[in-house]
Amino acid sequence: LKPPTVRPPQTPHLVASARGARLLAAFWRRAGAMAAVAEAAVAMDSMDKLHGTTNFANFTAYSWNVFRYIGDYLHLTGIVVLLLTIAKNKSVAGISRSTQVLYFLVFMTRYLDLFDHSQTAYLVFFKLTYIGTSFIVLLLFHQLEKTYERRHDTANLAVIIVPCCTAAVLLTSEYSILEILWTFSEFIEGFAMVPQYIFCYRERQGKDWGASLYVVSLGGYRVFYAFNWIYKKIQMPHYSDIQSWIGGVIEIMFFFDFLNFRFTGNSMLRTLVLSVDTKINEISDKVEMKVLGTSSAQRMETEGGEMRRRRKAEEPPMEDV
């Protein structure tokens, strides 16, 4: 007969110790799973919200491409040219204040992510530069008010801002304040240069090469950003950024039409844009007349008459021959 197996007696404290070890192991497994979920949630920023779950390393590598760098530096060049032109002329003639107001809105609503998460020094530099220079330009418009050509800057900002606000609410990827404002900035940038184009259409002949170079630099910046989007789409077929694409296509369309007008004198959009702008201003003037008893057109004519009389009074009398 096989002798019975004799098990060593287990004391209560050994049983409790083994059970505690199993519970502790289960606790750490669960804690590890929860930490992984939390880490994924923290890692998810606006890029993941826009493009879904991606290999962030690959996405970052493809985002920093030559087209993006060229676009960024063209944008910076345009801003520097604008500031130098205003400083050289001591005047804001040839520049649309409405466009500068729209760009200030773009930067202030898009770059709130500076407070949201840490970023590279490159991004921080450009974002702070854009915000700071847009504020400086608006300050220069205030200081050089007498040189501002209001009669050419006729774009109605409400007609641009209100539809962009509506589109931002309807087409945002996520219903949070930062995401809605970011979406708004993408749509508003698509129309930011429209007041400058209207200004140039009404001015007909550019007075300063600096203003033209500024317009070309800003348009070129968006063209190269479009190449940047195309490159990323080719490298990552799942990449999608509808809000940016819509704003970019609108701006590039206006830019190419403006170039065609400047170099050939032909334009598919000039007549349409000016007709719509004139009609909107007529409606706005009628509303102002009923509500305020005066209109922007009348105030502009009054200011223009006073300016002409002031210039005439300042002209020296002609000498007799």
Side-chain angles (χ1 to χ4, degrees):
L1 294 175
K2 187 178 180 180
T5 303
V6 178
R7 297 179 180 275
Q10 292 185 342
T11 60
H13 73 277
L14 290 177
V15 175
S17 177
R19 185 176 300 169
R22 288 195 298 272
L23 290 174
L24 187 61
F27 169 78
W28 283 116
R29 284 197 299 270
R30 181 169 296 183
M34 292 176 65
V37 172
E39 184 179 355
V42 172
M44 179 175 289
D45 61 4
S46 57
M47 293 296 185
D48 297 297
K49 294 173 187 174
L50 285 171
H51 316 300
T53 304
T54 63
N55 185 327
F56 191 73
N58 286 343
F59 183 82
T60 302
Y62 293 132
S63 293
W64 298 99
N65 55 71
V66 64
F67 302 115
R68 174 174 180 166
Y69 282 118
I70 294 175
D72 285 341
Y73 286 109
L74 275 175
H75 193 177
L76 185 62
T77 299
I79 292 174
V80 172
V81 167
L82 175 64
L83 292 172
L84 291 177
T85 300
I86 295 175
K88 176 178 72 74
N89 298 335
K90 294 182 174 58
S91 167
V92 292
I95 307 298
S96 166
R97 181 167 62 185
S98 297
T99 283
Q100 303 310 315
V101 170
L102 291 178
Y103 269 119
F104 182 74
L105 282 177
V106 168
F107 301 143
M108 291 302 295
T109 54
R110 179 177 301 171
Y111 298 145
L112 291 174
D113 62 353
L114 285 168
F115 306 100
D116 188 33
H117 56 276
S118 60
Q119 301 176 43
T120 64
Y122 178 93
L123 288 176
V124 172
F125 167 76
F126 272 89
K127 292 179 179 182
L128 291 179
T129 299
Y130 294 153
I131 294 172
T133 52
S134 64
F135 178 78
I136 291 172
V137 171
L138 291 179
L139 186 61
L140 290 172
F141 265 92
H142 176 71
Q143 293 179 342
L144 301 171
E145 179 73 23
K146 293 181 180 179
T147 65
Y148 172 46
E149 297 174 313
R150 193 186 307 272
R151 66 187 182 279
H152 297 317
D153 199 10
T154 57
N156 191 311
L157 290 183
V159 174
I160 296 175
I161 294 173
V162 173
C164 288
C165 287
T166 304
V169 173
L170 295 177
L171 299 177
T172 185
S173 300
E174 178 184 316
Y175 283 97
S176 65
I177 296 297
L178 287 180
E179 202 68 29
I180 292 174
L181 290 176
W182 182 88
T183 306
F184 168 77
S185 75
E186 290 295 327
F187 287 133
I188 206 75
E189 188 174 13
F191 296 94
M193 287 298 291
V194 170
Q196 182 67 53
Y197 296 145
I198 292 175
F199 190 107
C200 295
Y201 290 150
R202 294 196 182 282
E203 190 183 30
R204 291 183 177 275
Q205 189 65 36
K207 297 179 180 178
D208 193 282
W209 64 267
S212 299
L213 183 57
Y214 163 71
V215 173
V216 171
S217 297
L218 267 291
Y221 138 69
R222 292 304 276 178
V223 170
F224 275 95
Y225 253 67
F227 290 148
N228 159 58
W229 297 328
I230 294 171
Y231 172 79
K232 285 193 289 188
K233 185 65 177 177
I234 292 173
Q235 298 296 330
M236 296 185 300
H238 56 274
Y239 161 67
S240 177
D241 192 352
I242 298 298
Q243 297 92 335
S244 297
W245 297 348
I246 293 174
V249 168
I250 292 171
E251 187 169 0
I252 291 170
M253 178 181 65
F254 278 110
F255 173 61
F256 280 136
D257 184 77
F258 174 77
L259 288 182
N260 187 42
F261 168 73
R262 267 288 184 252
F263 291 107
T264 69
N266 301 317
S267 170
M268 296 177 61
L269 297 176
R270 177 180 178 272
T271 302
L272 174 63
V273 168
L274 291 181
S275 299
V276 172
D277 181 61
T278 300
K279 191 65 178 177
I280 289 172
N281 282 297
E282 288 175 357
I283 296 172
S284 177
D285 287 341
K286 289 179 181 178
V287 173
E288 287 185 14
M289 280 293 295
K290 290 183 179 180
V291 176
L292 304 176
T294 183
S295 67
S296 300
Q298 289 180 336
R299 291 193 296 271
M300 197 178 299
E301 289 177 3
T302 302
E303 291 174 3
E306 291 177 353
M307 182 67 72
R308 285 192 295 272
R309 287 194 295 273
R310 190 181 303 119
R311 287 177 179 171
K312 189 173 182 180
E314 291 174 354
E315 290 177 358
M318 295 182 63
E319 295 181 358
D320 294 331
V321 179

